[in-house]
């Protein structure tokens, strides 16, 4: 009986290498954006939930007209929790 192993190791290694290369490219491209975002969040003083206005819009269903309510995160101050 002949050896009937299905040897896909070369294909597996080639795909793993491609994934590794793509991951390296991704990390190089995304790093500056992540750093910029971290700096912006560090100096931001506005609440991210309400965008600094102190109120959020809510509606109970699609047919409801909705209303503005005090932001639960900043308690209406408009400032992020770190700057309240």
């Amino acid at each position: 009986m002949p050896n009937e192993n299905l040897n896909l190791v070369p294909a597996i290694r080639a795909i793993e290498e491609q994934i590794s290369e793509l991951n390296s490219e991704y990390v190089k491209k995304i790093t500056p954006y992540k750093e910029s975002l971290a700096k912006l969040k560090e100096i931001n003083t506005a609440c991210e939930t309400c965008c600094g206005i102190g109120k959020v819009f809510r509606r109970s269903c699609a047919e409801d007209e909705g209303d503005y309510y005090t932001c639960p995160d900043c308690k209406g101050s408009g400032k992020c929790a770190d700057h309240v």
Side-chain angles (χ1 to χ4, degrees):
M1 199 186 271
N3 186 354
E4 295 187 23
N5 283 339
L6 181 59
N7 186 357
L8 298 175
V9 173
I12 291 168
R13 289 189 177 148
I15 291 173
E16 287 175 338
E17 184 178 332
Q18 289 175 342
I19 290 171
S20 178
E21 289 172 7
L22 287 170
N23 190 46
S24 294
E25 289 176 30
Y26 167 78
V27 168
K28 286 178 187 173
K29 288 181 179 181
I30 200 75
T31 297
Y33 292 100
K34 286 185 172 184
E35 290 171 354
S36 295
L37 180 60
K39 294 280 184 197
L40 289 172
K41 286 186 172 195
E42 185 179 312
I43 60 175
N44 178 51
T45 59
C47 174
E48 288 188 50
T49 303
C50 67
C51 298
I53 63 170
K55 296 179 185 242
V56 290
F57 184 77
R58 290 190 205 154
R59 67 174 89 192
S60 58
C61 64
E63 292 82 25
D64 184 17
E65 291 185 20
D67 202 3
Y68 283 92
Y69 297 91
T70 301
C71 176
D73 291 340
C74 69
K75 312 291 188 268
S77 72
K79 295 183 179 185
C80 68
D82 296 340
H83 295 92
V84 175

